[in-house]
Structures are given as C-alpha cells and as structure tokens.
Amino acid sequence: MVIYTLPENQHFEHKVNGQNTHLFTLKNRTGMQVAFTDYGARIVSILVPDKNGNLRDVVLGFNSIHEYLQAEEKYHGATIGRFANRIAKGSFCLDGENYTLQQNNGSNNLHGGPNGFHSKVWDRQISFKKKIDFYYISADGEEGFPGNLKVTVSYELTEDNEIVIKYKAETDKKTVVNLTNHAYFNLNGEGEGDVLNHIMQFSSEHFLPIDENQVPLEHEAPVEGTPFDFRTPKAIGQDIGQDDEQLKRGNGYDHTFVNRQPIAQVAASAYSPASGIRLEVLTTEPGIQLYTGNFLSGKDIGKSGRPYTSRSAFCFETQHYPDSPNQPQFPSVILEPGQAFESETRYKFCIKKEM
Ligand code: GLA
C-alpha cells in the first residue's frame, strides 16, 4: 500500500495574481492531520487512520500550487462561491434588476464563474494548530454579482476526528450567496481506484430531479422506487448504471438531496469496507449535492502519482439548491445588508470494522 504523507510546504510557497500562497496543517491527538492552502481556502489533504491504524489520505488533490493551477478539474477541496452549483442561463433578476454572469458550463453559470472563490488567494489566521480562518472580500460586480461580500470560512479539527466548517458572509447590497466545499473523497485513499464499492446512506426522502442542462426542475421528487433511494445503505455502484433518465442527465449521480436533518443528526454517510473508514456529514444546509466524480477524465495525476479517473471519488457538497435565484419556491439564497449569512458543516471520520 502507498504510504501517505502531507505535501511539502515549499511546494505551496508560490505567487498567484501577485499574492503569496502557503500550506497550513492542523493536527489532533489521535493522529489525524489536515492540510489547507490559502489558494481557494482549500482542503489539500486529510490523513486519517484506517482500521489497521495506517494513515490514508482520503481527499483528492495535488502536491503543489503549480499543479492546482494546471489541473483540468479546478475545484479540488476548494471553497466554492459566490454561488455554488448552477445558475441557469447565467442570469438572474433581483429587485427588478437583471444580472448577467459568465456561462462556463454550457449555458449555465457554474460555481461562481471561472474566477470564483476557488481561484482566489484568501487571507488567513491560524490558531493553535486546531483552527484556521480564511477571509476574502469579493468586490461589488465581481463575476457579475452585486454587493461587496465579506466572507469568512473557518475550519476546525476536533479531537473527535471532525472537520468543522463554518461559513459567514455579509454584504453592503442585496445579493445571492451559496457556499460549499468541493472536497473529493475516496475513503480507500486518493488514487486507490473507484468508489463504487463504498456504502452510502442518505436520510433524504426527496431529491431534486434535473433537466437536460443539469438545472433542477421546479419540484423535488420522492427517492422511493428510484436509484436515488439511499435510505437503506447501499453501494454507490449498485444502481448507478441503471437505465434511468435522471442518471443519464447527470452522467451518474450529480444531484441535490433534500436535507431535513438538523445539524445534530447525520444527514449522509459513506463507508469503505476495505479501509474501515466511515465519513459522516452533518449540516445546517437544506441540500447536499452528491457528485460521483463522473467528469473526472484521468488527465489529472494526484498526490500519490496516480490518475484521477471517472468515479474515483465522491463529493458531499452541502449547500442551498442550485439555481435558487431563479426559483423562488426554493429556500431563499438572498442576503440583505445588515444580515449575516451563517452555515455550518461537519465532516466526521470514524472507523467501522463491520457494517
Ligand atoms: C459539481 C457539479 C458537477 C461538476 C463538479 C465539478 O459537483 O454539480 O456537475 O461540475 O461540480 O466538476
């Protein structure tokens, strides 16, 4: 088996758009280590013990800033904003004013546009190797969005092997906000083949069906009787190949699951019998986008020198519903001056010897 270690700091000491970038590490007493970079307020590595006590790096990523800049897939581990996921036709209307965004995913705007938060160098402050805060001010009009938006993303590593992510945003003009993290998980270790044998569970009774442009249709649909029913744990690969119109539109799972669990309860989980590592996600957000890495092409070579091929990872992107600015029936993504947007997501790792 590969021996996983953290990337070297020096390969993250670089300049992007004239700003210095770095690597930062949080550690806890059980041996878990999490590395971040200020380029995209991004998770670079998560080293977590497996059932035999060996550390595995369970997120995809690269060994240097240079490789992040060159990569085909831009979102590895990054903070996504100002608006995570899709805005149909790259436009929306707020108080009678039309806003036009770049169409960087067919006719959609995806993940805040080509120069979204994932591509920015964030300010940062690290406290006692346990917590790191990243700050960014997105200027009025940046990527087409209204209002100066002040954003904080804070990551904390607990002694219970949890990564606690807190988001906060404030604006000086009415705007829309949807923030998430785009970590690609493989609980056998990055580069260790596909995730189709991972056992997944979602408490969700509903998901958001999508149109041929991958934009949610107007109404949520019951998971009952569909490949989207993960209420009883099942392998990711069990139904992914079914002849199902929704799976075809996403090229696999690339859909929002409606989350009605409070943050005190597990909303979704994944478990790899091979490593014994289980990941639980808990969130205040109303949706979780399950993306099974359908578009990873194998061109990007990851930290341990192996290609990131299709379905070699999955993402649990906790967020508001895609295209909400155009779909008033969805939970609101509008932020007004004087209000604070706040959300929290926890990725908790544990060992599970048997199902
Ligand atoms: C999200 C989207 C996917 C894809 C990835 C990034 O998960 O829903 O369709 O764009 O981001 O490649």
Side-chain angles (χ1 to χ4, degrees):
M1 204 187 96
V2 178
I3 302 198
Y4 289 105
T5 53
L6 293 179
E8 289 177 33
N9 287 356
Q10 67 191 70
H11 295 132
F12 283 80
E13 286 158 12
H14 199 82
K15 264 198 170 32
V16 178
N17 301 330
Q19 283 170 283
N20 291 322
T21 60
H22 311 84
L23 187 76
F24 307 92
T25 307
L26 304 183
K27 295 182 180 169
N28 71 8
R29 282 195 288 271
T30 65
M32 192 169 155
Q33 302 175 41
V34 188
F36 302 88
T37 177
D38 33 18
Y39 173 59
R42 185 187 294 264
I43 298 175
V44 171
S45 295
I46 302 179
L47 294 182
V48 58
D50 67 12
K51 63 183 172 189
N52 300 316
N54 297 317
L55 290 177
R56 300 201 191 204
D57 187 347
V58 295
V59 281
L60 276 51
F62 303 104
N63 285 326
S64 66
I65 288 289
H66 180 73
E67 288 162 278
Y68 278 98
L69 291 167
Q70 299 297 316
E72 177 180 61
E73 167 59 36
K74 302 288 179 203
Y75 308 115
H76 281 291
T79 297
I80 308 295
R82 178 178 311 200
F83 199 93
N85 211 287
R86 295 175 174 80
I87 297 181
K89 302 194 175 72
S91 77
F92 65 96
C93 180
L94 207 51
D95 283 349
E97 192 145 343
N98 287 317
Y99 293 93
T100 306
L101 316 168
Q102 282 201 47
Q103 301 181 344
N104 60 335
N105 172 251
S107 56
N108 305 313
N109 175 269
L110 178 68
H111 293 335
N115 302 306
F117 293 179
H118 63 282
S119 70
K120 306 295 181 189
V121 179
W122 294 55
D123 287 332
R124 78 305 295 172
Q125 189 178 345
I126 186 156
S127 328
F128 308 112
K129 293 246 167 223
K130 291 280 171 266
K131 188 167 172 276
I132 183 158
D133 296 326
F134 290 103
Y135 308 95
Y136 180 65
I137 297 178
S138 170
D140 186 13
E142 185 182 272
E143 296 294 271
F145 292 96
N148 291 296
L149 189 78
K150 218 165 109 187
V151 192
T152 308
V153 179
S154 92
Y155 295 96
E156 187 187 340
L157 174 62
T158 71
E159 292 302 325
D160 294 330
N161 286 1
E162 262 183 314
I163 301 171
V164 180
I165 313 179
K166 289 185 181 155
Y167 299 89
K168 193 171 175 191
E170 286 168 296
T171 186
D172 60 2
K173 192 172 167 190
K174 195 168 178 178
T175 191
V176 293
V177 180
N178 194 17
L179 302 173
T180 192
N181 179 279
H182 210 302
Y184 280 91
F185 297 103
N186 182 326
L187 302 179
N188 290 327
E190 58 77 37
E192 287 286 320
D194 68 52
V195 292
L196 298 175
N197 289 332
H198 284 42
I199 308 296
M200 193 162 272
Q201 183 166 25
F202 267 92
S203 62
S204 309
E205 291 180 0
H206 297 88
F207 77 109
L208 302 182
I210 52 177
D211 69 13
E212 41 303 314
N213 295 320
Q214 286 193 269
V215 173
L217 302 171
E218 211 174 319
H219 297 295
E220 56 188 56
V223 296
E224 177 98 53
T226 75
F228 296 83
D229 192 349
F230 284 91
R231 290 173 298 174
T232 303
K234 68 177 180 190
I236 296 178
Q238 182 178 307
D239 296 328
I240 204 169
Q242 267 192 26
D243 185 13
D244 175 89
E245 187 53 30
Q246 281 300 315
L247 286 172
K248 282 190 206 145
R249 290 180 181 180
N251 198 22
Y253 294 104
D254 193 354
H255 294 75
T256 304
F257 285 74
V258 172
N259 175 42
R260 300 223 157 88
Q261 297 289 7
I263 186 152
Q265 275 159 30
V266 177
S269 67
Y271 160 70
S272 164
S275 66
I277 298 172
R278 175 180 157 91
L279 166 64
E280 297 175 343
V281 58
L282 304 96
T283 186
T284 56
E285 286 294 289
I288 301 176
Q289 181 85 3
L290 169 63
Y291 174 53
T292 44
N294 311 315
F295 301 115
L296 295 175
S297 72
K299 266 196 213 146
D300 289 337
I301 307 295
K303 287 172 276 188
S304 55
R306 295 173 290 181
Y308 291 154
T309 48
S310 175
R311 314 224 166 117
S312 62
F314 67 89
C315 304
F316 280 151
E317 298 159 66
T318 58
Q319 55 187 233
H320 274 60
Y321 303 173
D323 199 35
S324 300
N326 293 312
Q327 307 221 29
Q329 76 283 12
F330 289 166
S332 174
V333 288
I334 294 172
L335 184 66
E336 309 252 11
Q339 294 180 331
F341 167 83
E342 285 181 288
S343 76
E344 180 173 333
T345 290
R346 296 170 169 250
Y347 291 123
K348 184 171 167 56
F349 294 90
C350 42
I351 301 294
K352 192 164 186 275
K353 296 229 156 103
E354 302 299 329
M355 255 322 275

